[in-house]
Amino acid sequence: MVDIVLLGAPGAGKGTQAELLRDRLSLPSVSSGDLFRAALSERTPLGLRAKAYMDKGELVPDEITVSMVAERISQKDCAAGVIFDGFPRTAGQAEELDNLFDQMQRRVDIVLYVMVSEGVLLRRLAGRWTCRECGAIYHREFSPEKVQGVCDACGGELYQRPDDTPETQKRRIQVYLQQTAPLEAYYRGKGLLVELDGEQEIDVVQGDIVKAIGAVTTGRAC
Ligand code: ADP
Ligand code: AMP
């Protein structure tokens, strides 16, 4: 059993690393952003409520986000551990996750803090393309698909997220600095934070992540 949190600014590479890790560890990746986008494409009340915040680059209120994630991690496929991508994003969410995990007799085992400078974040967000079907992530320059506009993994159509416009990107980075960056200190205080150089190539970052997870899981069943 291992429960992993990926922490980092928008565009740091959390989703990219979560995809690789999910395949490597056979654990589900729980992305709150993907859960909101799925709810929105099904036009559920939750999705429609979240849309107003997402469009502006603001965070969806904690009570909506936490109950959605709580429901997701109560599902059977999450019993052996999860990879959180983009959650928690506020101090309140981090505390709620600790409470939820207490009730489940689990704990966050490691927080992987993917560090990337602002200029690089903006370049990454500007070139991000995502598969509409399976959510696979590409970059026009750094990690292109083989056939333009078509997902290598499933043949689905690639699209640019509506919240990847220049104004929204900047707002999301500001919101990250104000509301999410303080989690670094929260998890460092608990001895769970591992800092990673997120500006390296995708495979190199993944190698560092695998090493860090190995260091916390060695010697115990996971
Ligand atoms: P996040 O989930 O943190 O918002 P993503 O995983 O969606 O970030 O990555 C943002 C963009 O940057 C994507 O287009 C992705 O292909 C690209 N990317 C991710 N990691 C790297 C990396 N290490 N080097 C270059 N580009 C990367
Ligand atoms: P992401 O896919 O992680 O980039 O998230 C896209 C958008 O979904 C964010 O800009 C927020 O509006 C919303 N969102 C995703 N995760 C959270 C979260 N943990 N808390 C609040 N809002 C979130």
Side-chain angles (χ1 to χ4, degrees):
M1 155 89 73
V2 60
D3 286 298
I4 300 163
V5 169
L6 284 164
L7 181 68
K14 302 179 299 298
T16 302
Q17 296 301 329
E19 256 179 34
L20 294 169
L21 212 48
R22 176 191 65 196
D23 296 342
R24 187 183 291 267
L25 301 179
S26 299
L27 288 177
S29 117
V30 173
S31 154
S32 37
D34 284 351
L35 292 172
F36 284 131
R37 280 184 287 276
L40 182 56
S41 75
E42 287 161 23
R43 305 201 66 74
T44 66
L46 172 100
L48 296 172
R49 244 188 111 185
K51 181 180 187 310
Y53 299 95
M54 295 169 81
D55 284 349
K56 286 187 282 185
E58 303 294 335
L59 294 184
V60 179
D62 283 356
E63 70 274 14
I64 304 179
T65 307
V66 170
S67 59
M68 175 185 73
V69 171
E71 203 276 317
R72 176 68 188 93
I73 63 176
S74 69
Q75 291 168 9
K76 238 203 227 144
D77 65 319
C78 292
V82 297
I83 304 155
F84 288 106
D85 160 16
F87 180 88
R89 245 167 156 116
T90 64
Q93 291 178 17
E95 281 157 21
E96 287 296 331
L97 178 60
D98 287 345
N99 294 339
L100 279 170
F101 267 180
D102 274 350
Q103 289 160 26
M104 300 166 95
Q105 288 165 341
R106 285 159 78 154
R107 61 189 286 269
V108 172
D109 293 292
I110 184 167
V111 178
L112 300 159
Y113 177 33
V114 186
M115 299 188 302
V116 172
S117 60
E118 188 165 339
V120 175
L121 293 176
L122 291 170
R123 235 173 116 193
R124 287 192 184 171
L125 292 172
R128 171 160 68 185
W129 288 73
T130 306
C131 176
R132 223 179 261 292
E133 304 302 322
C134 73
I137 302 162
Y138 298 89
H139 192 283
R140 267 294 125 86
E141 207 182 327
F142 307 132
S143 178
E145 65 278 18
K146 293 197 180 85
V147 177
Q148 193 165 329
V150 180
C151 178
D152 295 352
C154 77
E157 181 204 3
L158 304 190
Y159 78 110
Q160 278 196 296
R161 282 173 37 179
D163 58 347
D164 275 346
T165 59
E167 308 76 58
T168 321
Q169 285 166 15
K170 290 214 179 84
R171 180 64 194 143
R172 281 158 59 214
I173 293 172
Q174 264 176 3
V175 166
Y176 170 81
L177 293 172
Q178 287 162 358
Q179 299 189 53
T180 309
L183 294 187
E184 183 198 329
Y186 178 82
Y187 285 122
R188 183 176 283 114
K190 289 178 177 280
L192 298 176
L193 196 83
V194 176
E195 293 183 358
L196 300 159
D197 174 1
E199 294 196 9
Q200 306 172 96
E201 297 212 344
I202 291 172
D203 290 349
V204 179
V205 179
Q206 179 72 188
D208 288 352
I209 285 179
V210 169
K211 261 188 246 151
I213 295 171
V216 298
T217 55
T218 305
R220 68 178 177 88
C222 69

